[in-house]
Amino acid sequence: MGSDISVHIVTFNSAKDIEACLTAVSKQSYPIHELVIIDNHSTDNTVKCIEKWHRAYSYHRLKVVENSNNIGFAAAHNQAIRLTNTNYCLILNPDVELTPNYIKNTIGVLKNDETLGSVTGKLYRDLKNEIIDSTGIVIKKNRRSFDRGAGEKDVGQWEKLTDIFGASGAAAIYNRKMINDIMVSGQFFDEDFFAYKEDIDVAWRAQIRGWRAKFVPEAIAIHQRGWKDEKKRKEIPLFIRHHSYINRYYMIIKNDKAFFLFLHGPIIIFYELMSFIYAIIIERELLAAWSRAIRIFPSMYLKRKFIQSKQLKSTKEIYRFFKGLW
């Protein structure tokens, strides 16, 4: 049986997670054409762990690229996309463990609907206690985005095949046709984002171009959630906090509509006021991110012109996903 999917993993100091992640990939019931790992210059034993796993499993379609510096999550995944030519790409975090039928259950849905650009499954933060990590992306009227169902106990409320705003980049399968369709200057993930919210930006651009996304409840994975739950914010490198903070504004500049910015204006203004007060009192160093944002504003504006000129979906249909005030 031939395969039409490649699995892409970007690692950076992922030694504690990567072997379990790769073992789960190797046990997939659906055949995988190629497994591509881009290591962003890890300083721990990540690469040695990958080599150890490869010796144990002799995975025959493994390609490992070791970057000489950390180019970021977005750029590294673009690198992996360029190295493959499969019809579908699974973008997978190294701290995710797939159950054996994850790919089979998601790709089956994707293949049966040509309007679908992406799918994701049910990710558990704690499988034993059935605590949800993500069932897709939701976006609020104040332009904050969240993992749908995050932190909730699964009591059967997430059992329906559902249209969603977008797939979480922790374990998303993307249609290559959509990847090529929404690229801007040859980039699927916007490399100005470096890390965080790049999957939300992709989801928004895909909506503009008329691509749909679905949540598939039968596809199960475990996501050992990253820094937000494991560390205090002050322990996170400042440049990462800068990106997490400023990338939301990049999304708005590129993808938002003036009418809906005006319509949701009171909610947005209130959130911005609260955000500014928080930054001034708690994390004043975040505000330094605006210096770079101002420098790259012209390029963001050019991206906006390109994205908006390619709109295929009605604005009303796009903004039906913008629900809730906070």
Side-chain angles (χ1 to χ4, degrees), residues 5 23 25 57 59-60 69 88 97 101 115 117 129 131 133-134 195 203 207 248 269 294 299:
I5 187 168
T23 299
V25 169
Y57 283 84
Y59 200 80
H60 63 292
N69 62 306
Y88 305 97
E97 293 180 47
N101 290 326
T115 69
N129 294 305
I131 305 300
D133 179 74
S134 179
Q207 288 287 338
R248 171 175 167 272
I269 291 170
I294 291 169
S299 68

Side-chain angles (χ1 to χ4, degrees), residues 29-302:
S29 60
Y30 192 93
I32 296 167
H33 178 73
E34 190 170 24
L35 169 58
V36 179
I37 302 172
I38 309 292
D39 184 73
N40 263 338
H41 196 57
S42 292
T43 55
D44 65 357
N45 292 321
T46 297
V47 175
K48 289 183 179 179
C49 289
I50 294 168
E51 292 170 350
K52 175 186 173 185
W53 176 85
H54 190 217
R55 286 194 299 270
Y57 283 84
S58 300
Y59 200 80
H60 63 292
R61 289 191 176 273
L62 173 66
K63 180 183 293 183
V64 180
V65 178
E66 297 179 52
N67 287 335
S68 58
N69 62 306
N70 186 353
I71 64 174
F73 179 93
H77 269 299
N78 287 342
Q79 186 180 357
I81 287 168
R82 289 191 296 269
L83 289 172
T84 60
N85 59 7
T86 49
N87 294 329
Y88 305 97
C89 301
L90 168 56
I91 305 300
L92 186 65
N93 276 12
D95 58 356
V96 171
E97 293 180 47
L98 306 175
T99 56
N101 290 326
Y102 188 90
I103 293 177
K104 178 182 178 181
N105 288 335
T106 45
I107 202 170
V109 173
L110 193 55
K111 284 184 170 185
N112 287 330
D113 190 338
E114 293 184 356
T115 69
L116 284 178
S118 61
V119 291
T120 190
K122 186 190 293 185
L123 278 58
Y124 284 99
R125 190 172 301 179
D126 181 345
L127 182 59
K128 181 180 178 181
N129 294 305
E130 298 184 302
I131 305 300
I132 294 291
D133 179 74
S134 179
T135 63
I137 295 168
V138 294
I139 191 162
K140 304 290 186 177
K141 291 179 180 178
N142 62 6
R143 303 325 188 244
R144 294 179 75 201
S145 53
F146 299 92
D147 285 294
R148 202 172 69 120
E152 294 183 16
K153 183 172 177 60
D154 186 2
V155 291
Q157 71 274 42
W158 306 111
E159 295 303 318
K160 184 178 179 181
L161 185 70
T162 311
D163 269 37
I164 52 177
F165 182 71
S168 167
I173 296 185
Y174 294 110
N175 187 330
R176 177 78 66 166
K177 290 180 181 178
M178 188 202 78
I179 290 174
N180 293 335
D181 187 50
I182 72 169
M183 278 188 178
V184 179
S185 300
Q187 296 179 8
F188 177 58
F189 290 114
D190 188 332
E191 295 178 14
D192 282 322
F193 282 53
F194 190 86
Y196 297 108
K197 297 183 177 67
E198 69 292 316
D199 52 348
I200 305 157
D201 175 63
V202 159
W204 204 337
R205 281 188 279 131
Q207 288 287 338
I208 289 170
R209 284 292 292 168
W211 293 98
R212 293 166 51 234
K214 272 209 184 293
F215 160 66
V216 183
E218 294 81 12
I220 307 296
I222 304 166
H223 185 200
Q224 304 292 342
R225 183 55 56 173
W227 62 266
K228 287 186 179 180
D229 291 331
E230 294 176 357
K231 299 180 182 180
K232 295 178 181 178
R233 281 187 62 84
K234 290 292 184 178
E235 296 175 3
I236 308 305
L238 180 57
F239 84 99
I240 291 293
R241 285 186 281 142
H242 277 175
H243 280 285
S244 181
Y245 167 73
I246 206 69
N247 289 351
R248 171 175 167 272
Y249 296 100
Y250 293 162
M251 289 193 309
I252 292 171
I253 292 169
K254 291 167 57 183
N255 303 306
D256 224 331
K257 291 289 187 181
F259 174 77
F260 278 89
L261 278 171
F262 175 78
L263 187 66
H264 300 155
I267 303 162
I268 296 170
I269 291 170
F270 180 73
Y271 173 75
E272 293 306 321
L273 179 61
M274 294 297 101
S275 177
F276 181 72
I277 292 171
Y278 168 84
I280 288 292
I281 297 174
I282 307 297
E283 284 190 82
R284 188 170 297 184
E285 61 270 24
L286 286 180
L287 299 177
W290 282 105
S291 61
R292 180 176 182 272
I294 291 169
R295 290 197 305 272
I296 70 170
F297 176 81
S299 68
M300 285 293 171
Y301 180 71
L302 290 176

